[in-house]
Amino acid sequence: MILLEIHNRALYETLCDCFESAIKRQKYDKICINISDFDGVVYNLSNPNDDTTKLQLSIFLHFYKDLRQHGSDELLKREYGSYLMSQPEENYSVTLLFDLTNLPESFADLAMKASLLKRNCFASVFEKYFEFQRTGETGHKTAVIHYRSDETLFIRALEDRVTVIFSTTFKEEDDIIIGKNFMQEFSEARRKHQQAPQVLFSYKTPPAELNDTDAIVGENRGYVTFVLQPRHITKQASDNTINMISMFRNYLHYHLKCSKAFMHQRMRAKTNDFLKVLNRAKPEQKSKPPEERKNFFGKTMRQTP
């Protein structure tokens, strides 16, 4: 299966071009670009006050207010330091400011770090609840992140595990069938790899852990539960766990669409094969005898085949 990249490649390549142009050619181009990402996230690259020596990167997340309750501001200060602006650009959630006249030689690393801005915003809630489990602080309220208008992420720390639950919406009936088969593959994979986290899937009804939340019940609603054991959330493993699990929803729906596209391709190919068979099965038409006609003078004229 294909794993989606955790960073935004379009943003990364654009930043690399801007940084390289500034460092190697001392060229500062005017820029104004909007880049869309999953979950309704939008990036904006621009020059503040038309100053081409400065590059401003802003991100809009409609659910950032949920993340702020779990320490996203502190995590971003730790990750981006002086690049993080205390006051974000208007209509955006977070803003980074780069001085193109004072960039490090390893500009690719800086571009990569900036392209992980969405991931780092998301990471705050995971790091907080992973730390709760490591220190034995149980009893905290379940974290609820409304990362889409009709879909929600729930995180809960218990004595022996951390439970991460995604609620997702299946817009078509065949998505539900494919999704159930897809979830079954996770169960089969765990039989081969015992170190993998347990994955549970429930349809229509939310898990019992969400009884005290605003979890929605519906015909097209599915809940995917990850049971993370202490070995999955150690300080050495937590970064990789966050990378994988924060992209799960997009990973799931991406593969649902790919599966449907593959089946449609196979169906069209099979239909073409059937049409070829039917065309070969048509009876051959018998040739008609040459038609005889008479001209103006009454002479018979035979058309040659």
Side-chain angles (χ1 to χ4, degrees):
M1 294 182 178
I2 299 174
L3 293 176
L4 300 178
E5 294 177 325
I6 59 173
H7 67 286
N8 187 297
R9 177 162 290 275
L11 177 61
Y12 170 72
E13 292 180 352
T14 303
L15 287 173
C16 281
D17 290 342
C18 292
F19 292 166
E20 184 178 14
S21 177
I23 292 176
K24 295 184 177 180
R25 296 190 293 274
Q26 301 295 313
K27 184 179 180 182
Y28 311 110
D29 295 324
K30 188 173 182 179
I31 188 170
C32 183
I33 298 176
N34 288 325
I35 300 174
S36 298
D37 206 341
F38 296 111
D39 306 321
V41 174
V42 178
Y43 295 95
N44 176 262
L45 279 171
S46 61
N47 303 115
N49 302 319
D50 292 330
D51 183 358
T52 56
T53 63
K54 301 290 191 298
L55 182 62
Q56 185 173 262
L57 168 62
S58 300
I59 184 174
F60 168 74
L61 303 96
H62 69 87
F63 53 91
Y64 190 74
K65 62 181 183 298
D66 295 336
L67 298 174
R68 181 172 280 143
Q69 299 174 8
H70 301 286
S72 60
D73 290 341
E74 291 74 16
L75 186 145
L76 294 177
K77 288 178 184 177
R78 183 190 76 199
E79 291 293 326
Y80 296 103
S82 60
Y83 295 115
L84 180 67
M85 295 185 65
S86 57
Q87 187 66 30
E89 184 182 359
E90 187 178 359
N91 298 324
Y92 288 89
S93 308
V94 178
T95 298
L96 304 179
L97 182 63
F98 302 100
D99 183 357
L100 298 181
T101 63
N102 186 25
L103 291 172
E105 290 296 328
S106 57
F107 63 86
D109 294 337
L110 180 60
M112 175 59 71
K113 196 170 187 177
S115 65
L116 289 169
L117 183 56
K118 177 193 170 188
R119 179 268 181 201
N120 289 331
C121 290
F122 243 126
S124 59
V125 63
F126 290 105
E127 288 191 2
K128 179 181 178 180
Y129 278 77
F130 289 175
E131 187 62 25
F132 284 162
Q133 199 285 325
R134 286 195 292 262
T135 58
E137 297 183 36
T138 58
H140 290 276
K141 187 178 179 181
T142 301
V144 180
I145 308 297
H146 300 281
Y147 65 98
R148 281 177 171 251
S149 59
D150 56 348
E151 299 184 9
T152 311
L153 170 68
F154 304 90
I155 307 177
R156 187 177 185 182
L158 301 173
E159 291 182 3
D160 58 342
R161 65 189 183 275
V162 173
T163 304
V164 180
I165 303 174
F166 288 89
S167 78
T168 186
T169 302
F170 298 103
K171 296 184 179 181
E172 300 179 10
E173 293 183 3
D174 51 0
D175 287 350
I176 300 172
I177 299 172
I178 300 174
K180 288 180 178 179
N181 293 332
F182 192 80
M183 290 297 102
Q184 186 63 32
E185 289 298 318
F186 280 93
S187 300
E188 296 295 331
R190 193 167 186 270
R191 295 178 184 178
K192 301 178 182 178
H193 307 281
Q194 295 297 324
Q195 299 298 316
Q198 184 180 9
V199 182
L200 306 173
F201 177 71
S202 59
Y203 173 57
K204 295 183 181 179
T205 306
E209 293 91 338
L210 303 182
N211 289 338
D212 58 343
T213 64
D214 58 351
I216 302 174
V217 178
E219 291 292 327
N220 61 343
R221 183 74 52 175
Y223 289 88
V224 184
T225 303
F226 288 87
V227 181
L228 303 177
Q229 302 297 332
R231 63 177 177 271
H232 301 128
I233 59 175
T234 61
K235 291 188 179 296
Q236 295 77 17
S238 60
D239 282 344
N240 185 60
T241 300
I242 294 171
N243 291 344
M244 296 295 102
I245 207 165
S246 62
M247 292 295 295
F248 172 75
R249 188 269 173 199
N250 303 319
Y251 170 83
L252 171 62
H253 284 267
Y254 171 79
H255 280 85
L256 290 180
K257 291 177 173 61
C258 287
S259 298
K260 292 169 69 174
F262 176 73
M263 287 188 288
H264 291 164
Q265 183 182 18
R266 293 293 300 272
M267 290 166 62
R268 286 192 291 268
K270 200 65 179 177
T271 300
N272 289 335
D273 291 340
F274 287 149
L275 289 175
K276 291 177 182 178
V277 173
L278 290 175
N279 290 333
R280 289 197 298 267
K282 289 181 179 179
E284 295 183 1
Q285 296 182 355
K286 296 181 179 179
S287 58
K288 296 181 180 180
E291 186 178 354
E292 294 185 355
R293 295 182 180 180
K294 291 187 177 181
N295 61 12
F296 180 78
F297 299 103
K299 293 184 179 180
T300 301
M301 298 181 64
R302 179 171 295 178
Q303 184 177 1
T304 57

